[in-house]
Amino acid sequence: MRSKIVAGNWKMNLTFDEADEVLDKLMTNLEEHAALSCKMIVCTPYPYLELASDYSGDSYFEVGAQDVSAYDKGAYTGEVSAAMLGSMEIAYCIVGHSERRAYHNESDELIARKVDRLLENDIRPIVCCGEVLEEREADKQFEVVKRQVTDGLFHLTPEQFGKLIIAYEPVWAIGTGKTATPEQAQEMHAYIRSLIAEKYGKVVAEETSILYGGSCKPSNAKELFANPDVDGGLIGGASLNADDFMAIAESLK
Ligand code: 13P
């Protein structure tokens, strides 16, 4: 059975004190509510990883980063390596987010190298894919996602691929309040799973968690998560509010 996952992507938000407040509230919520039926991951900016790890301890939620260098180590000012994250016992890292693709010109080839660095350091990549609005309007969404998945990930062995979490995030739905319909999400998730099955076989495909991201909130999470190929969510804005994030996680059964 593949895991059900709700992951928060804080992006470049919150001061240290604000981060502390959100984590504190999240812990209170987790302690007060019945155990979740999904895994919860919180992906914070680098400076807050240790704070989040201290809160999470071993049990409540897991901590992830939002990006990683494609290089091993050395003279790459400002970069953070997978080995550094691994040495802090960070278990997850987002790669290939559309904001990195758009604002930092990240290519599928670069994303493939980042995935490799993470896997070498036993960190599970949360790999994002998704089309922009013009591509959806031109009915090119399947072509675009196929290229992203194939060029970014299909160099991996089946065993390596099994460590991945995929996130489908239609770019037109990110931070816009415009969510994909449950049908659009299901259609793309089923398509991604079929690509994986074609390349790695049915077992690997059935075991891969595919999350939906893009304006997911407490009011729409349940109907998105009800789809058979939607295994949870990658949550941006709503993950900055501990009550909303908790409500989203609780709607994933
Ligand atoms: P929003 O939930 O703010 O739309 O962001 C989604 C996202 O980009 C998560 O990675």
Side-chain angles (χ1 to χ4, degrees), residues 9 11 97 99 169 173-175 213-216 234-237:
N9 175 10
K11 308 191 181 184
H97 193 281
E99 288 148 17
E169 301 204 308
I174 295 177
S215 297
C216 188
L234 182 55
I235 319 299

Side-chain angles (χ1 to χ4, degrees), residues 6-141:
V6 164
N9 175 10
W10 283 8
K11 308 191 181 184
M12 197 173 73
N13 290 297
L14 308 179
T15 61
F16 187 86
D17 286 348
E18 288 164 350
D20 190 43
E21 221 170 280
V22 172
L23 290 165
D24 190 59
K25 182 79 173 71
L26 187 60
M27 283 301 291
T28 308
N29 287 347
L30 287 162
E31 278 163 2
E32 283 175 357
H33 290 63
L36 292 172
S37 42
C38 66
K39 185 196 288 289
M40 180 184 272
I41 304 170
V42 181
C43 299
T44 76
Y46 292 133
Y48 311 152
L49 288 172
E50 192 169 3
L51 176 74
S53 299
D54 286 348
Y55 266 106
S56 75
D58 286 331
S59 46
Y60 286 99
F61 58 86
E62 299 195 72
V63 179
Q66 298 174 15
D67 185 36
V68 70
S69 177
Y71 299 100
D72 276 331
K73 64 173 179 176
Y76 300 102
T77 302
E79 294 249 57
V80 171
S81 71
M84 291 174 188
L85 297 175
S87 70
M88 294 175 69
E89 293 179 23
I90 299 303
Y92 298 88
C93 182
I94 297 170
V95 262
H97 193 281
S98 62
E99 288 148 17
R100 302 238 24 119
R101 291 178 190 261
Y103 309 140
H104 300 271
N105 287 320
E106 292 202 2
S107 62
D108 295 321
E109 186 271 333
L110 181 76
I111 291 159
R113 287 167 51 212
K114 292 184 173 197
V115 167
D116 291 344
R117 295 296 84 73
L118 290 171
L119 291 173
E120 284 161 11
N121 287 277
D122 277 331
I123 298 168
R124 292 187 65 187
I126 303 172
V127 188
C128 303
C129 58
E131 79 286 357
V132 299
L133 184 61
E134 301 81 71
E135 292 162 341
R136 165 76 54 173
E137 283 174 349
D139 207 22
K140 292 211 158 105
Q141 64 272 24

